[in-house]
Amino acid sequence: MAIAPERLVGSDLMDIYRKVESGERLNHEDGLLLYRTPNLTGVGYLANIVRERRHGAKTYYVRNQHINYTNICNKFCKFCSFYAKKGGPAPYEMDMAEVKRRLDWHKDIPITEVHMVGGINPRLKYDYYLDLVRLVAQSRPEGVHVKAFTAVEIVQIAQMGKVTIEQALRDLMDAGLDSLPGGGIEILSDRVHQELFGKKLNGEEWKEVARISAKLGLPQYATMLYGHIETDEERVDHLIQIRELQDETAHFLTMTPLSFHPEATELENISQPTADTDLRNIAVSRLLLDNFDHIKSFWIMNTVPVTQMALWYGADDADGLVHEYEITYKDGEFGNKSQALTHENMVRMIEEVGRIPVERDSFYNEIVREEPVAAGRTLKPLTVV
Ligand code: SF4
């Protein structure tokens, strides 16, 4: 017997339900209602309709490695616990030998993507960045996707080389850069920019980097950092501005809502977002971003259990195995920063909640390997190692 939609989404969300069913674009007011209704399961149900329409039960993941090449930074963002400061993380800067050492750590794992971001370190010259990209791009005989540098870093690199942003991107692409990660703007709001990260580029400058990247055929990922001082209106504004930019450029691959971690930041007095907030941001992103194929739940920031739930709240991507992620660590020291899921545990995380794990490359092409994890296998307890 069919269940009436009102029972599933609630009467307050029925207008949005009808829009979702007919594929009509949601507007600003719809976004605000989705953020403000107490009916989170209704929001999740709507997001799941879109998620399953696009991807069925498939959930994508990538075999990746993160390298955070320096934590020296002159931008002093209030939400950041990563950059080196007195009483905080000790400064570090990786030379090529150190980067190579880290790449070698995982030589036995068929990693397909290396994700690199770092602080804005004025000591690093233009050639450092080109060498860094070249080293990573050539580190595996079978090739590896180099996803590196937020828009803030791109502006810094161009300044260090005394070249235009376009020329810097061309040079980086020649060296082996394959895509730009999200980040760099956090949320497209002049108010939040002024209050939390005034030394970084502003929204218009961030969009300019995105437009140049699109013009050069360089794909980019998008993010939204939530759970600090932003309002519901600012979240909706951010998502709609990103949607408009995607209408124009069509070069964004994925949206990743990022859950703010206040510990060891200047915003330590703010409570960390709850699972409710994490799930809502994923669901609303799925519903508003009708021109994005993929919504990612970054398990490092919103935990494995929340990511499992998120796969029913609009997310179709669980990110990757990740290794050595430094950004949300309290001490941020240059040492053992292992945050990784084994491949088996990634598969298990997805299967445990009734979804189908699909390994992908950075462009969402499916990767089929000769020895998939056999069904019915015995797995170790699901832990982050
Ligand atoms: Fe620097 Fe990035 Fe941290 Fe801002 S968020 S202080 S730019 S490392």
Side-chain angles (χ1 to χ4, degrees):
M1 188 176 67
I3 302 172
E6 286 90 340
R7 289 265 296 150
L8 299 169
V9 301
S11 54
D12 64 330
L13 296 177
M14 278 306 291
D15 282 349
I16 298 181
Y17 170 77
R18 282 186 274 273
K19 287 186 178 180
V20 168
E21 280 291 290
S22 65
E24 187 180 334
R25 178 164 273 196
L26 303 188
N27 60 29
H28 195 278
E29 287 66 39
D30 296 327
L32 276 183
L33 178 57
L34 290 166
Y35 270 117
R36 290 176 176 170
T37 175
N39 180 10
L40 176 61
T41 53
V43 176
Y45 179 82
L46 292 171
N48 193 52
I49 292 173
V50 180
R51 186 253 200 251
E52 293 194 350
R53 188 186 293 150
R54 284 177 178 266
H55 306 291
K58 286 181 179 178
T59 295
Y60 301 95
Y61 66 93
V62 64
R63 298 201 201 214
N64 60 349
Q65 174 178 8
H66 282 235
I67 293 179
N68 302 124
Y69 56 91
T70 183
N71 71 344
I72 296 169
C73 186
N74 60 14
K75 299 299 178 199
F76 314 114
C77 304
K78 289 187 182 167
F79 60 82
C80 179
S81 63
F82 168 65
Y83 73 90
K85 54 175 135 353
K86 213 171 174 185
Y92 73 80
E93 164 184 308
M94 294 182 191
D95 59 15
M96 294 306 131
E98 176 60 28
V99 174
K100 177 159 188 336
R101 198 170 72 87
R102 285 169 176 256
L103 292 166
D104 286 347
W105 281 349
H106 307 298
K107 267 276 152 76
D108 55 334
I109 298 173
I111 283 170
T112 60
E113 174 184 292
V114 175
H115 182 142
M116 284 191 298
V117 292
I120 304 304
N121 179 347
R123 292 167 16 149
L124 300 179
K125 306 289 182 230
Y126 193 62
D127 282 349
Y128 173 93
Y129 297 99
L130 299 180
D131 290 345
L132 186 61
V133 169
R134 218 172 274 123
L135 174 67
V136 176
Q138 293 171 3
S139 62
R140 288 175 179 264
E142 68 279 17
V144 69
H145 180 101
V146 185
K147 176 180 176 183
F149 310 131
T150 63
V152 197
E153 291 162 275
I154 294 298
V155 169
Q156 170 71 5
I157 294 167
Q159 284 172 359
M160 293 312 287
K162 297 187 173 51
V163 296
T164 62
I165 289 168
E166 178 167 338
Q167 188 57 51
L169 286 173
R170 285 187 189 280
D171 290 346
L172 290 164
M173 290 167 76
D174 284 347
L177 181 69
D178 294 305
S179 67
L180 298 182
I185 193 58
E186 324 315 339
I187 197 146
L188 287 158
S189 150
D190 290 341
R191 182 189 73 88
V192 179
H193 176 248
Q194 282 307 316
E195 278 198 44
L196 297 190
F197 54 99
K199 285 182 176 295
K200 282 211 284 202
L201 42 64
N202 64 30
E204 284 313 307
E205 290 165 326
W206 183 87
K207 287 180 184 174
E208 191 53 27
V209 174
R211 288 188 177 105
I212 297 169
S213 161
K215 176 182 151 192
L216 298 180
L218 184 66
Q220 189 173 3
Y221 298 78
T223 56
M224 174 174 73
L225 185 72
Y226 62 85
H228 40 89
I229 64 164
E230 86 288 357
T231 62
D232 290 340
E233 283 90 349
E234 286 162 342
R235 290 175 182 171
V236 174
D237 276 351
H238 177 87
L239 292 170
I240 289 183
Q241 286 188 64
I242 293 281
R243 185 171 76 186
E244 286 169 354
L245 191 56
Q246 175 78 327
D247 279 344
E248 183 187 328
T249 65
H251 81 305
F252 288 107
L253 293 168
T254 308
M255 161 56 79
T256 308
L258 295 171
S259 188
F260 174 54
H261 283 239
E263 62 272 20
T265 74
E266 289 183 47
L267 305 176
E268 227 169 11
N269 57 327
I270 292 177
S271 303
Q272 192 163 341
T274 60
D276 179 296
T277 306
D278 292 332
L279 294 173
R280 193 180 295 264
N281 276 284
I282 283 174
V284 180
S285 297
R286 179 60 287 166
L287 287 163
L288 287 186
L289 297 180
D290 56 3
N291 52 5
F292 272 65
D293 274 343
H294 302 283
I295 304 294
K296 182 187 290 184
S297 176
F298 189 35
W299 63 265
I300 291 262
M301 288 177 107
N302 63 12
T303 76
V304 166
V306 171
T307 287
Q308 289 184 304
M309 287 190 279
L311 301 183
W312 290 88
Y313 277 74
D316 61 278
D317 187 321
D319 195 69
L321 309 186
V322 190
H323 298 86
E324 302 89 46
Y325 188 72
E326 325 251 348
I327 304 290
T328 51
Y329 265 93
K330 260 190 186 169
D331 59 6
E333 286 170 12
F334 187 38
N336 178 16
K337 297 299 175 193
S338 179
Q339 291 195 81
L341 284 176
T342 64
H343 182 252
E344 280 200 330
N345 276 337
M346 171 59 80
V347 168
R348 175 176 172 174
M349 173 174 82
I350 296 167
E351 286 184 340
E352 260 187 0
V353 291
R355 295 306 200 185
I356 299 168
V358 176
E359 185 180 350
R360 63 166 176 87
D361 68 12
S362 304
F363 298 117
Y364 289 85
N365 297 306
E366 297 185 14
I367 295 177
V368 180
R369 298 191 186 271
E370 280 179 8
E371 295 176 16
V373 180
R377 68 227 172 274
T378 305
L379 292 170
K380 294 185 191 117
L382 184 56
T383 51
V384 179
V385 294

